[in-house]
Amino acid sequence: MKDFSDFANDLGQRESSNDYQCVNDWGFMGRYQFGKPRLWDLGISIDGWHPEDKSPVQCGKIIMSVGSFLKDTTLQDNIFRLHVIKHLKYIRKKYKKHIPKYTESGLVAGVHLKGFGGLNDFLNGDDNIDGLGTKISEYISKFAGYDLSDL
């Protein structure tokens, strides 16, 4: 059975061809195509970005440039691991009844693509898409069946 390492590699391949330096037209960056808001949630402020009501310094965030983030492959991989762990914790608590049908890894991939709002819409019958036209069902199906139990 494929494990977290395989999941990270396969998702990275789908997101950016495993290119740590990739930045798309919408500003999503790195191997896993993180946006500034998600990186903020994970403790990093890119170029001082912050929600309107918060300051990166007051919140204790690591402040770094896009270039520094893109060059730090270890950081990108560690942040992705934290990202998956946080999503798994929430999925195991709030979406337990859906895990037998869709698998934890499938749901994590769906949330990575569209967030929890997109996952909720999907579970209520709306197979929504991202900005490039990728359906959430594609991610949930493609990334189903990885063993993430050790996270």
PDB file of all heavy atoms in Angstrom, residues 11 19 24 48 57 66 68-69 85 106 108-109 145 148-149:
ATOM      1  N   LEU A  11       0.979  13.817  -5.205  1.00  0.00           N
ATOM      2  CA  LEU A  11       0.263  15.086  -5.200  1.00  0.00           C
ATOM      3  C   LEU A  11       1.169  16.197  -5.727  1.00  0.00           C
ATOM      4  O   LEU A  11       0.729  17.045  -6.514  1.00  0.00           O
ATOM      5  CB  LEU A  11      -0.259  15.433  -3.805  1.00  0.00           C
ATOM      6  CG  LEU A  11      -1.227  16.610  -3.805  1.00  0.00           C
ATOM      7  CD1 LEU A  11      -2.612  16.156  -4.252  1.00  0.00           C
ATOM      8  CD2 LEU A  11      -1.307  17.245  -2.444  1.00  0.00           C
ATOM      9  N   ASP A  19       7.985  20.393  -8.932  1.00  0.00           N
ATOM     10  CA  ASP A  19       8.887  21.527  -9.112  1.00  0.00           C
ATOM     11  C   ASP A  19       8.753  22.482  -7.925  1.00  0.00           C
ATOM     12  O   ASP A  19       7.752  23.191  -7.799  1.00  0.00           O
ATOM     13  CB  ASP A  19       8.551  22.247 -10.416  1.00  0.00           C
ATOM     14  CG  ASP A  19       9.439  23.443 -10.693  1.00  0.00           C
ATOM     15  OD1 ASP A  19      10.328  23.761  -9.874  1.00  0.00           O
ATOM     16  OD2 ASP A  19       9.231  24.079 -11.746  1.00  0.00           O
ATOM     17  N   ASN A  24       2.341  29.599 -10.081  1.00  0.00           N
ATOM     18  CA  ASN A  24       1.369  29.675 -11.178  1.00  0.00           C
ATOM     19  C   ASN A  24       0.820  31.094 -11.339  1.00  0.00           C
ATOM     20  O   ASN A  24       1.198  32.012 -10.604  1.00  0.00           O
ATOM     21  CB  ASN A  24       0.257  28.625 -11.014  1.00  0.00           C
ATOM     22  CG  ASN A  24      -0.752  28.952  -9.934  1.00  0.00           C
ATOM     23  OD1 ASN A  24      -0.823  30.061  -9.414  1.00  0.00           O
ATOM     24  ND2 ASN A  24      -1.561  27.961  -9.588  1.00  0.00           N
ATOM     25  N   GLY A  48       5.494  39.370   3.992  1.00  0.00           N
ATOM     26  CA  GLY A  48       4.739  40.160   4.953  1.00  0.00           C
ATOM     27  C   GLY A  48       3.238  40.080   4.785  1.00  0.00           C
ATOM     28  O   GLY A  48       2.492  40.793   5.456  1.00  0.00           O
ATOM     29  N   VAL A  57       4.133  40.064  12.672  1.00  0.00           N
ATOM     30  CA  VAL A  57       5.045  40.177  13.813  1.00  0.00           C
ATOM     31  C   VAL A  57       4.284  39.894  15.103  1.00  0.00           C
ATOM     32  O   VAL A  57       4.732  39.120  15.949  1.00  0.00           O
ATOM     33  CB  VAL A  57       5.696  41.583  13.847  1.00  0.00           C
ATOM     34  CG1 VAL A  57       6.529  41.746  15.100  1.00  0.00           C
ATOM     35  CG2 VAL A  57       6.544  41.796  12.600  1.00  0.00           C
ATOM     36  N   VAL A  66       9.038  35.125  -1.224  1.00  0.00           N
ATOM     37  CA  VAL A  66       8.648  34.032  -2.121  1.00  0.00           C
ATOM     38  C   VAL A  66       9.892  33.255  -2.530  1.00  0.00           C
ATOM     39  O   VAL A  66       9.922  32.023  -2.487  1.00  0.00           O
ATOM     40  CB  VAL A  66       7.909  34.550  -3.375  1.00  0.00           C
ATOM     41  CG1 VAL A  66       7.705  33.446  -4.391  1.00  0.00           C
ATOM     42  CG2 VAL A  66       6.572  35.170  -3.008  1.00  0.00           C
ATOM     43  N   SER A  68      12.791  32.880  -1.056  1.00  0.00           N
ATOM     44  CA  SER A  68      13.317  32.055   0.044  1.00  0.00           C
ATOM     45  C   SER A  68      12.469  30.811   0.249  1.00  0.00           C
ATOM     46  O   SER A  68      12.991  29.719   0.477  1.00  0.00           O
ATOM     47  CB  SER A  68      13.374  32.861   1.338  1.00  0.00           C
ATOM     48  OG  SER A  68      14.299  33.904   1.224  1.00  0.00           O
ATOM     49  N   PHE A  69      11.150  30.980   0.185  1.00  0.00           N
ATOM     50  CA  PHE A  69      10.259  29.831   0.336  1.00  0.00           C
ATOM     51  C   PHE A  69      10.501  28.815  -0.777  1.00  0.00           C
ATOM     52  O   PHE A  69      10.602  27.614  -0.528  1.00  0.00           O
ATOM     53  CB  PHE A  69       8.791  30.277   0.339  1.00  0.00           C
ATOM     54  CG  PHE A  69       7.828  29.133   0.439  1.00  0.00           C
ATOM     55  CD1 PHE A  69       7.604  28.491   1.650  1.00  0.00           C
ATOM     56  CD2 PHE A  69       7.137  28.682  -0.681  1.00  0.00           C
ATOM     57  CE1 PHE A  69       6.725  27.420   1.741  1.00  0.00           C
ATOM     58  CE2 PHE A  69       6.260  27.620  -0.593  1.00  0.00           C
ATOM     59  CZ  PHE A  69       6.046  26.987   0.617  1.00  0.00           C
ATOM     60  N   ILE A  85      -1.445  16.775   8.205  1.00  0.00           N
ATOM     61  CA  ILE A  85      -1.785  16.389   9.578  1.00  0.00           C
ATOM     62  C   ILE A  85      -2.965  17.205  10.096  1.00  0.00           C
ATOM     63  O   ILE A  85      -3.902  16.655  10.684  1.00  0.00           O
ATOM     64  CB  ILE A  85      -0.555  16.535  10.503  1.00  0.00           C
ATOM     65  CG1 ILE A  85       0.459  15.435  10.196  1.00  0.00           C
ATOM     66  CG2 ILE A  85      -0.962  16.504  11.973  1.00  0.00           C
ATOM     67  CD1 ILE A  85       1.822  15.638  10.861  1.00  0.00           C
ATOM     68  N   GLY A 106      -8.076  10.541   0.060  1.00  0.00           N
ATOM     69  CA  GLY A 106      -8.904  11.167  -0.963  1.00  0.00           C
ATOM     70  C   GLY A 106      -9.524  12.463  -0.468  1.00  0.00           C
ATOM     71  O   GLY A 106      -9.533  13.481  -1.170  1.00  0.00           O
ATOM     72  N   VAL A 108      -8.394  14.345   2.030  1.00  0.00           N
ATOM     73  CA  VAL A 108      -7.309  15.326   2.204  1.00  0.00           C
ATOM     74  C   VAL A 108      -6.975  15.978   0.867  1.00  0.00           C
ATOM     75  O   VAL A 108      -6.813  17.203   0.779  1.00  0.00           O
ATOM     76  CB  VAL A 108      -6.054  14.680   2.826  1.00  0.00           C
ATOM     77  CG1 VAL A 108      -4.845  15.606   2.725  1.00  0.00           C
ATOM     78  CG2 VAL A 108      -6.298  14.293   4.283  1.00  0.00           C
ATOM     79  N   ALA A 109      -6.877  15.189  -0.178  1.00  0.00           N
ATOM     80  CA  ALA A 109      -6.568  15.740  -1.498  1.00  0.00           C
ATOM     81  C   ALA A 109      -7.671  16.683  -1.975  1.00  0.00           C
ATOM     82  O   ALA A 109      -7.384  17.740  -2.554  1.00  0.00           O
ATOM     83  CB  ALA A 109      -6.344  14.621  -2.508  1.00  0.00           C
ATOM     84  N   GLY A 145      -6.912   5.903  -1.108  1.00  0.00           N
ATOM     85  CA  GLY A 145      -6.243   4.638  -0.807  1.00  0.00           C
ATOM     86  C   GLY A 145      -4.809   4.700  -0.303  1.00  0.00           C
ATOM     87  O   GLY A 145      -4.186   3.673  -0.125  1.00  0.00           O
ATOM     88  N   LEU A 148      -2.376   6.887   5.417  1.00  0.00           N
ATOM     89  CA  LEU A 148      -1.928   8.050   6.173  1.00  0.00           C
ATOM     90  C   LEU A 148      -2.102   7.823   7.669  1.00  0.00           C
ATOM     91  O   LEU A 148      -2.077   8.758   8.463  1.00  0.00           O
ATOM     92  CB  LEU A 148      -2.700   9.304   5.737  1.00  0.00           C
ATOM     93  CG  LEU A 148      -2.659   9.651   4.242  1.00  0.00           C
ATOM     94  CD1 LEU A 148      -3.477  10.906   3.973  1.00  0.00           C
ATOM     95  CD2 LEU A 148      -1.226   9.809   3.752  1.00  0.00           C
ATOM     96  N   SER A 149      -2.248   6.564   8.075  1.00  0.00           N
ATOM     97  CA  SER A 149      -2.558   6.240   9.468  1.00  0.00           C
ATOM     98  C   SER A 149      -1.445   6.589  10.441  1.00  0.00           C
ATOM     99  O   SER A 149      -1.696   6.754  11.634  1.00  0.00           O
ATOM    100  CB  SER A 149      -2.930   4.767   9.597  1.00  0.00           C
ATOM    101  OG  SER A 149      -1.833   3.941   9.242  1.00  0.00           O
TER     102      SER A 149
END
